[in-house]
Amino acid sequence: MLQQLNKEVLLKRKEALEQVIKRRFIYQPAFSLYGGVAGLYDYGPVGCAIKTNIEQYWREHFIIEEDLFEIAATILTPEPVLKASGHVDRFTDLLVCDSKTGTGYRADKIVTETLENRIAKEGDKLAADVKAKYLLVIKDVDTFKEDKMKEIIAELQIKAPETGNDLTDPTPFNLMLPTIVGPSTKLPAYLRPETAQGMFLNFARLLEQNGGRVPFGAAQIGLGFRNEIAPRGGLLRCREFQMAEIEYFVDPNEKSTFKKFNKYINLEIPLLSRQLQADAKLHQPYKMGDAVKEGIINNETLAYFICRTYLYLVEIGINPINIRFRQHQADEMAHYSSDCWDAEIEMSSGWVECVGLADRSAYDLNAHSTATGQKLQAARKFKVPQPRQVIQIILDKQKIGKELKKDGMTLIKYVEALPDDEKQELSEYFQTHEEKVFNIDGKDLTLNRQLVKFEQKTMNVMEEKFIPHVIEPAFGIGRILQAIIEHSFNQRDDPQKTYFKFSPRVAPVKCSILSVVQNEEFDIVIQELTSSLKKLGISCKTDNAGVALGKKYARTDEIGIPFAITVDKETLTAQSITLREIETTKQVRVPIVEVPRLILELSNGLILWTDVLNKYPLFAAKEEDA
Amino acid sequence: MLQQLNKEVLLKRKEALEQVIKRRFIYQPAFSLYGGVAGLYDYGPVGCAIKTNIEQYWREHFIIEEDLFEIAATILTPEPVLKASGHVDRFTDLLVCDSKTGTGYRADKIVTETLENRIAKEGDKLAADVKAKYLLVIKDVDTFKEDKMKEIIAELQIKAPETGNDLTDPTPFNLMLPTIVGPSTKLPAYLRPETAQGMFLNFARLLEQNGGRVPFGAAQIGLGFRNEIAPRGGLLRCREFQMAEIEYFVDPNEKSTFKKFNKYINLEIPLLSRQLQADAKLHQPYKMGDAVKEGIINNETLAYFICRTYLYLVEIGINPINIRFRQHQADEMAHYSSDCWDAEIEMSSGWVECVGLADRSAYDLNAHSTATGQKLQAARKFKVPQPRQVIQIILDKQKIGKELKKDGMTLIKYVEALPDDEKQELSEYFQTHEEKVFNIDGKDLTLNRQLVKFEQKTMNVMEEKFIPHVIEPAFGIGRILQAIIEHSFNQRDDPQKTYFKFSPRVAPVKCSILSVVQNEEFDIVIQELTSSLKKLGISCKTDNAGVALGKKYARTDEIGIPFAITVDKETLTAQSITLREIETTKQVRVPIVEVPRLILELSNGLILWTDVLNKYPLFAAKEEDA
C-alpha cells in the first residue's frame, strides 16, 4: 500500500492540490480583502478541524501517555525574560536593504538566490573555480556573521534583485514582534517566539505538583510569533504559527537510561546522522537500541522521544517512507546543547524540518536563575547516605556577639543556615573582599572575613541539589498539517476526482450522510441519524440535495470525509444504510441502530475498515456512484 | 441538591479556595519570578485541562450541533482592518494620570472608588443630597465622555488615591496592544481585541463553502488582548484572555423565526429585562417562547442562542440558580444593535458578565465593504418570481458610438451589465456630476450625463442581494472557568478537606488509580489499568505511595478527580476493584474488565453515577477512607 511520495510525485499533484485548498478553504492568506499580509494565514473549517484533531491526538499520545503537565502560559512576555533567555540579543536574522528604495531582504536568502541564478543562467560558461566558490558560499551562508556576510556581498557583487541597486551593510534584525504593556508603566514586551519560556518560568510550581521529583515533563500547545524578513512557502514559514512543545526535565545523571525506551529498541527509524551527512550519504534505517549503543544518539531519553515522535507522525497520516531524523552538525547546535535532531518530512518543496528534538542541558533554568536570583533546582534523594564534599562554615561566635550584641545571634543563625552553594559563594567572595553585608529582616548586618573560616569536609548526606537538564521536542503544527495534506492528497482515475486519504482521527469531518434521491421520508432518517451521531460528538455533514449520488460522493471526497452513509429505499424497509469508505469506495450494508457506535469506533481508531468489511455484507454500488 | 450559592456563601469559601488554587497551581500570576505583570495569568495543569475540556465541549455543543464553520484566523491584525471596524477610534477607556508621578488610572474606576469610600467613611454625616449625587454618578460614570468626566472630577475634587495629587484631564486611551510587522514595510498592526473580525473578513469564503446560502454560522476559539489600564479580579479582567465566539449570519427578513427554537419555547430562563431594570426589580424566570412573543427578546434567532448558552453553562457545571440574562439598556448598546443580552453568573465578586449575545445587524460586513470596496452580500433566491423595483439605465447608444467609435460598444456593454446597486449609485452620482470616467480593461472611457437616463421599473426577479445580519454569542472562557471553580468548590465536615464537584466532562483528570497499601502485585494491576484507560484517551493519575488511603483520596479530591479506583487484596483474587465517586464518597465493586468502558462513559456523560449505583454492589468503606 505504501507509496514512495518523493518530491517529484508531490510536485506533480501540487497544482491540483492548491486548487482544492483554495476552493474548499482549507487555509488561505489572511486579510485578502485588505490586500493581504505576507506570512499570515487563516485556517478555514477543514484546516481548522484537522488542526484541532492533530492537537487533540498530540494530547493523547504525549500528554496523557507520559503524564505531562500541560500548561497555558501567556503570549505577552516582558523584555527581561527574553533578555535572560538570549532572544533579545541573539534571535536575529541578517537584514540587508536596497540602498535607494529601502526594501529589506534576508541576507542569506538573497546571496543564495543570486548565486543559484548565476549558476543556472551561465551554466558551462562559468569558470570551475568560480562555480565551486559559489557552491561553498551557498552551503555555508546561513552560518555567516555580519562581517563575513558583508565581505561576501562585496566580493561577489550581490545587488538588490529588483533594482540592481547596492545593498546596505548587513545588520542583525530581531525577529520578535515588540509591543508595550500598560498605559503608564509602559512595560516593553514581545510576543513569545516559542512557548518554551513559559514552561521554564513555571518549573518550580510544576516540580511542587510532582512532589519535588524529577523526571517530569511540561507541555504546551499555543502560538509563537516570528517577524520573518521574507515569509514564504505557505504554512511553512509564517509570522504566526501554532506549536506544541514539551520540556522534559531530567536528572543529568539519569538521562542516559529511560525505562520505557526498552519497548522501542527494535523499532527501525530512518536516521541521517552527523557522520552520514559528513560522508554525503543518504539517511538509513537504524534499530533505535543500536543507535543509542553506538553513540549515534546521545542518550535514551532523547531517543525515546524520537521514537514517540516518529510513531505520532505515522499515526496522524504522514507517509513513514517520507520521514527522517537529521542530526544537527556541531556548528548548527547551540553551544550548551549536547545533541539535537530534527524530524524532517519530505514534501513538494523538499525535506522540511517539522519537529526539533534538542537536549538543551541546564541552559534555560540556569539563565533564569541568574537573572532573577531564584534557584531553579531539584533534589536528588538517596536511599542510603552518600559521602559528599561539603563546605563547613566556622564562625568566631564570641567576637561576633561582642561586636553586634543581640544581632550577633541573628547573624550567626542566618549564616549557618545558608545552603551549601551559598556558603561556597561566600567563601569565594571573601577571597577578594574584607566584609559582607547581609540584609536580615530589614536590618543590615556586617560580617568581617576575619571572623569566618571555611572547611571542606566529607560528610554523608541524604540528598543533593542539582539543576535538571531539559529534553525538548518542539512540534510545528502548521508544517505537520501541510505535510498531512500533501501526503493524503490523491486523484482517482479521473484526475478531476480528487480525495484525501486522511487517518479517520485526523479527518476534519468523520462522516457524511447522503440520500440517494430527494425524498421526505429519507430526510427524516437523515435527521435522526445526524442527531444520534452529534450526541456522540461526531462531526458529520448531510447532503440531501437533488443531484446525482456520484456528485455528492465527489463533494465529500474532496474534503476527505472518510465514511459516507447513504439512505436509500431499502433503508425504509430494512432499517439499514450503506456505508462507504473513501479510499476503497467499497460499501457495506449496516443496520441503522449499529451506525453511531460503528462510526465512533472507526473515528477513534478502535476498529479499522477491514474489520467492518469482515463483519457486514458487501453492497454492490449502482451506476450512480460513478 | 441545588444550593443557592449567593455572594455570601461564595465569599466565605473564597480564602480556602484561593489556597487550593495556589497550592495545586490551578492558575497563578504569570512571570512571578520576574516580579509579575498585572493582568497576565498562567494556567497550570488543572486549570489548563479544565479550559481544554470546556472548549472541547463548546465545540460539541455549538460547532457540531449547529454545523458551524470553525476557523482559526490570526491574532496579528493590520491597522486598516481595525480602523474600519471602529476599534482604532472607539475601543478606548478614559485615562487619568497622577499629575506628578504619572501613574495612570481608569477614570470611571477612580471616581467610583473615591465616592464609594466617601460614602462608607462619612456614613450618616454625609448630606442626603450629596450622597444622592454620589450614587447617581457611580451609576452612570461608565457612560461619561471626556468633557463630562473632566467636569465631575473637578466638581467632586477627585484626586490620585495614593498621593492626593491632582489628576490630569481624562483622555481616551486605546486598549489595543500595538506592534509593527515586517522589517521594511513596517506595517502598523494590533493584537486582535476580539476574534470576531477574522470571521467577518472570511465571510465570502465561508458563504461559498455553504453553497451561497444563509443562515450559517462561523465560530472561533482563540485569544483576545486588551491593554487594560487597571487589570484586576484574577481571571475576570485580564490583558490576554481566551474567547469563543460565534458569528451567525442571517437574512434580516428571517431572523424573527428560527425553526429549532420550537423545542425551547417552554424552557424557563431567568431574565433581567430592560423593563425590570428600569423598575429596579430582580431577574425572574420566563418561558422563552413567551419572552419572544411579548417582545422582551427581539427575535427567535437571538432567543435560540440564549437557550443554547444557558444549557451549555449548566452542562459544564455552573449552578443554574446563579445564572441570569441581563438585557442591555438602550444607551449601553451600540447604535446599530437592535438587542443585546449578557449571560451573567453570580460569583464571590457579584454578578459577572461571562457571555455577551448581541444582534450586531449588518454593521461589520458593511464597514468592511465600505473600507475595501468589496461587496459582502448574500443572495435571497425566490421559488417564484417576485416583483421588485429595479433601476434601468437607458443609454443614447448612437451618440456614444459616434463619440467613442469602437470603444463605444465596450462602454455600453459595461454600463448595462452593472449590478443594480451600482446603477443606483451612478444615478445619484450624476445628480451632482457632469461626467463619469470608467476604467475598462486599462482604458479610461468617459460617459457624459447627457447621454444617460435612469428609470425605476417594477420587474419580476428570481433573487435579490442583501447584507446579512449577525447574531453574535461571545464567550469569555477565563471568566466561565473562574465561575466553574467557584461553584464547584466544596468543603466536607472537616473544612480542611476540600473538593471540587466538577461535571465529569469538565474534570481535569477523569480518574485516579490508587492502591490500598504499597504492594508490588498491586502495582502491576495499576499499570495495566492505567495503560488500558490511556488507550481510550482517558486522563488518569496513579498514586501508589505508602500513605493512608484517606490521604490519597484527599489529594485527588482537592483537584476534583470525580472517580477513584482502588486496588485491594480482593482485586488479586476476584479481579475487581472499588470505584468511588467524589461527592457522595460512595463506593461500588466493579470487575476490572468493565472499568475502562465504564469510566469512558461516565466521563462523556453517557451514563451517570446513579446508573453505576444501580448496577454494581455497594462496597462498605473501611476506616482508612476517613
Side-chain angles (χ1 to χ4, degrees), chain B residues 390-397 400 411-428 430 436 438 447 449 451-457 459:
Chain B
V390 293
I391 193 159
Q392 282 212 306
I393 220 164
I394 297 149
L395 297 167
D396 189 333
K397 296 184 186 176
I400 294 174
L411 180 64
I412 288 164
K413 272 189 188 160
Y414 182 87
V415 173
E416 284 185 340
L418 286 174
D420 285 357
D421 50 350
E422 290 184 29
K423 283 181 188 159
Q424 186 65 43
E425 281 166 23
L426 190 61
S427 96
E428 284 158 21
F430 275 137
K436 165 92 184 171
F438 293 92
L447 179 65
R449 100 161 153 176
L451 307 182
V452 197
K453 274 194 297 185
F454 294 93
E455 270 179 20
Q456 293 286 345
K457 200 173 162 186
M459 278 183 71

Side-chain angles (χ1 to χ4, degrees), chain B residues 225-516:
Chain B
F225 295 80
R226 259 176 97 109
N227 198 4
E228 292 286 353
I229 295 174
R232 60 171 160 185
L235 300 183
L236 299 189
R237 190 169 290 280
C238 290
R239 285 173 165 152
E240 181 173 336
F241 47 88
Q242 186 79 345
M243 313 174 76
E245 294 191 293
I246 296 168
E247 308 298 332
Y248 200 80
F249 298 100
V250 290
D251 183 337
N253 291 355
E254 289 173 2
K255 73 183 170 186
S256 59
T257 56
F258 194 90
K259 200 173 158 201
K260 285 162 78 184
F261 178 63
N262 277 336
K263 60 180 163 182
Y264 296 132
I265 50 173
N266 289 317
L267 178 64
E268 284 198 357
I269 296 183
L271 300 182
L272 181 56
S273 66
R274 216 171 280 153
Q275 191 57 49
L276 287 171
Q277 292 170 68
D279 299 345
K281 290 193 178 151
L282 294 178
H283 52 278
Q284 60 182 60
Y286 281 86
K287 283 196 177 168
M288 292 303 282
D290 297 341
V292 175
K293 256 193 228 139
E294 294 168 20
I296 296 172
I297 299 174
N298 181 279
N299 59 68
E300 285 190 3
T301 309
L302 186 55
Y304 176 76
F305 281 104
I306 289 176
C307 295
R308 294 294 296 167
T309 299
Y310 176 79
L311 294 172
Y312 171 75
L313 293 174
V314 172
E315 179 69 24
I316 57 174
I318 306 289
N319 199 343
I321 299 169
N322 300 81
I323 302 173
R324 72 179 183 198
F325 285 78
R326 188 184 71 79
Q327 190 171 29
H328 278 208
Q329 299 291 345
D331 61 0
E332 264 181 284
M333 289 194 300
H335 62 91
Y336 51 79
S337 188
S338 55
D339 199 5
C340 191
W341 293 78
D342 288 341
E344 295 186 332
I345 303 176
E346 194 171 26
M347 304 192 206
S348 59
S349 53
W351 287 95
V352 177
E353 175 204 341
C354 291
V355 187
L357 296 112
D359 180 335
R360 295 175 71 119
S361 76
Y363 174 79
D364 305 275
L365 293 180
N366 241 329
H368 292 300
S369 272
T370 307
T372 63
Q374 313 253 13
K375 299 247 174 295
L376 299 175
Q377 294 180 327
R380 193 177 285 142
K381 291 198 195 327
F382 304 123
K383 283 183 184 157
V384 290
Q386 298 285 319
R388 285 288 182 277
Q389 282 281 335
V390 293
I391 193 159
Q392 282 212 306
I393 220 164
I394 297 149
L395 297 167
D396 189 333
K397 296 184 186 176
Q398 243 183 341
K399 281 201 184 155
I400 294 174
K402 235 183 226 167
E403 240 177 57
L404 295 177
K405 301 281 166 333
K406 76 176 187 329
D407 286 340
M409 210 48 223
T410 312
L411 180 64
I412 288 164
K413 272 189 188 160
Y414 182 87
V415 173
E416 284 185 340
L418 286 174
D420 285 357
D421 50 350
E422 290 184 29
K423 283 181 188 159
Q424 186 65 43
E425 281 166 23
L426 190 61
S427 96
E428 284 158 21
Y429 180 88
F430 275 137
Q431 287 171 15
T432 51
H433 295 77
E434 273 309 304
E435 52 181 43
K436 165 92 184 171
V437 181
F438 293 92
N439 187 296
I440 304 167
D441 294 335
K443 207 169 195 175
D444 279 342
L445 302 178
T446 303
L447 179 65
N448 190 297
R449 100 161 153 176
Q450 305 305 332
L451 307 182
V452 197
K453 274 194 297 185
F454 294 93
E455 270 179 20
Q456 293 286 345
K457 200 173 162 186
T458 302
M459 278 183 71
N460 283 333
V461 298
M462 288 305 294
E463 69 167 50
E464 64 186 353
K465 295 278 173 64
F466 67 96
I467 306 179
H469 280 201
V470 171
I471 306 288
E472 178 192 79
F475 292 67
I477 298 292
R479 291 181 175 196
I480 290 171
L481 187 139
Q482 173 93 52
I484 289 174
I485 287 173
E486 285 199 12
H487 287 194
S488 307
F489 186 67
N490 266 295
Q491 291 163 301
R492 302 204 193 275
D493 294 340
D494 172 359
Q496 291 297 311
K497 293 202 169 168
T498 68
Y499 68 101
F500 290 103
K501 170 72 189 103
F502 292 130
S503 140
R505 60 164 95 245
V506 162
V509 175
K510 302 311 177 194
C511 87
S512 52
I513 309 179
L514 316 172
S515 57
V516 72

Side-chain angles (χ1 to χ4, degrees), chain A residues 480-504:
Chain A
I480 291 171
L481 186 139
Q482 173 95 51
I484 289 175
I485 286 173
E486 286 199 11
H487 288 194
S488 307
F489 185 67
N490 266 295
Q491 292 163 301
R492 303 205 191 273
D493 295 340
D494 172 359
Q496 290 297 313
K497 293 200 171 170
T498 67
Y499 69 100
F500 289 104
K501 171 73 190 102
F502 291 129
S503 140

Side-chain angles (χ1 to χ4, degrees), chain A residues 49-155:
Chain A
I50 296 173
K51 183 168 99 56
T52 302
N53 294 340
I54 295 174
E55 291 170 10
Q56 194 49 38
Y57 185 62
W58 196 88
R59 283 200 174 92
E60 288 183 26
H61 186 84
F62 289 104
I63 296 180
I64 290 183
E65 180 59 35
E66 313 297 340
D67 294 318
L68 305 179
F69 290 127
E70 184 181 0
I71 70 164
T74 62
I75 285 172
L76 291 170
T77 308
E79 186 166 50
V81 173
L82 294 159
K83 182 81 188 165
S85 69
H87 287 88
V88 170
D89 296 322
R90 291 190 300 274
F91 190 64
T92 56
D93 276 343
L94 286 178
L95 170 70
V96 289
C97 295
D98 183 310
S99 58
K100 289 188 183 147
T101 68
T103 307
Y105 303 96
R106 227 176 96 176
D108 58 339
K109 295 286 170 201
I110 208 171
V111 169
T112 304
E113 283 168 16
T114 306
L115 299 184
E116 281 176 349
N117 279 342
R118 287 185 195 167
I119 293 171
K121 211 166 139 190
E122 304 189 24
D124 293 342
K125 282 182 282 178
L126 207 61
D129 59 334
V130 175
K131 187 172 170 183
K133 166 94 188 178
Y134 284 4
L135 289 173
L136 193 66
V137 169
I138 289 169
K139 181 171 155 289
D140 292 336
V141 67
D142 57 350
T143 66
F144 290 176
K145 302 269 175 276
E146 288 158 79
D147 291 349
K148 177 77 180 169
M149 190 68 83
K150 183 178 167 183
E151 190 190 309
I152 287 291
I153 286 175
E155 184 189 334

Side-chain angles (χ1 to χ4, degrees), chain A residues 23 29 32 34 42-43 45 64-65 70-73 75-76 84 104 178-179 182 184 202 205 209 227 240 368 534, chain B residues 23 29 32 34 42-43 45 64-65 70-73 75-76 84 104 177-179 182 184 202 205 209 227 240 368 534:
Chain A
R23 187 167 58 240
S32 304
Y34 284 81
D42 289 344
Y43 291 91
I64 290 183
E65 180 59 35
E70 184 181 0
I71 70 164
I75 285 172
L76 291 170
T179 190
S184 52
N202 282 299
R205 287 169 178 164
Q209 296 311 309
N227 198 4
E240 179 173 337
H368 292 299
K534 284 180 174 178
Chain B
R23 185 167 61 240
S32 304
Y34 285 81
D42 289 344
Y43 291 91
I64 291 184
E65 179 59 35
E70 185 181 0
I71 70 164
I75 285 172
L76 291 170
L177 284 144
T179 190
S184 51
N202 282 299
R205 288 168 177 164
Q209 297 310 309
N227 198 4
E240 181 173 336
H368 292 300
K534 282 180 175 177

